[in-house]
Amino acid sequence: MTASVASVSRSRDEGADYSDFYHEVITGLERSPKRIPPKYFYDEAGSRLFELICEQPEYYPTRVETGMLARYADEIAGFIGDGCCLVEPGSGSCSKVRLLLDAMRPSHYIPMDISGAHLHEAAGRVANDFPWLDVRAVCADITRPVELPGIAEGMQRVVFYPGSSIGNYEPGEAVEFLSRLAKMAGHGGSLLIGVDLEKDSSVLDSAYNDANGVTADFNLNLLHRINRELDGNIDVDRFRHHAFYNEDEGRIEMHLVSECTQTLRIDGHSYEFAKGESIHTENSYKYSIAGFRALAEQAGFRSEAIWLDDEALFSLHYLSVVS
Ligand code: AVI
């Protein structure tokens, strides 16, 4: 039996989410160059494909970060002390937090995710496996301001944001998002965040071009999603996945490249593509330690500790809120 989890819903309804997707696809394809924001990768099929990406041998971030959390859990806990309120925006399957709970011994855990069904299932499993922990699931879109449940008021709050999803924000937006996390952590609070590091471009290129083609399927699923949800007529076979490290910008770029001259129709709108023209679907910024620290400082954090793996592929930053 699964333990019960107190839950709060702060998400907008499905209809609002549909109209955001519709609006951003329609306006994004009118832009030059064409682009669609990466948050629309994550429908049910896309979320499953992302979990598969994390298992690919070339995609090192998940494997390396998981190893670091297991290895450094006690050291991390030493900075925090028992009885905090651990908040995880974008908690997904809640798998990484499990590596910290026994060492950290928070009294409360607040996972937050936009997908209600997935959230409640994952939170229920955590509550079951850690019966001493008070779990309060919050269903919310974390790309917008979110209020925490009242129980978190007055507690020492630690925000946990693993996975280097911060790299999917443009640097200016990343500062804005980190400022929101600082507000969420509040006075005396802190942030434990996973950040992917700059490295040899060959390692990055293969991480985003895995041999099994899972990242390609993940990228192309966005076109299938448009067909499924927005009445599109896209022949997905006429596009190909393209991912490369843009050295000047310090980021992986993902694109969907048109293999021929073609016209896409989506709900009565038409979009012309030249052969080789692309839809820019994702940026994944890679940071130096100093570069990320500077970003966090702009958002109102002070760096307390940094952990690296043996090959310096990935970093974990522990930051406190500057009051
Ligand atoms: C979720 N995010 C941190 C992933 C990344 O590496 O930027 C998304 C991803 N895109 C392709 N592979 C993984």
Side-chain angles (χ1 to χ4, degrees), residues 42 50 53 59 163-165 168 208 215 218 254 282 284 286:
Y42 301 93
F50 179 64
I53 287 177
Y59 193 73
S164 199
S165 295
N168 297 131
Y208 292 80
T215 309
F218 173 73
M254 292 217 311
E282 186 178 63
S284 189
K286 308 302 168 189

Side-chain angles (χ1 to χ4, degrees), residues 38 41-42 49-50 53-54 59-62 161-168 194 196 207-210 214-216 218-219 241 243 252 254 282-286 314:
F41 281 138
Y42 301 93
L49 285 164
F50 179 64
I53 287 177
C54 295
Y59 193 73
Y60 62 86
T62 313
Y161 196 62
S164 199
S165 295
I166 195 67
N168 297 131
D196 199 8
Y208 292 80
N209 290 285
D210 61 277
V214 182
T215 309
F218 173 73
N219 198 6
H241 163 75
I252 282 282
M254 292 217 311
E282 186 178 63
N283 287 325
S284 189
Y285 283 86
K286 308 302 168 189
F314 201 88

Side-chain angles (χ1 to χ4, degrees), residues 87-102:
V87 183
E88 185 176 5
S91 49
S93 57
C94 303
S95 53
K96 289 179 187 163
V97 75
R98 289 168 170 268
L99 300 166
L100 296 174
L101 291 175
D102 281 327

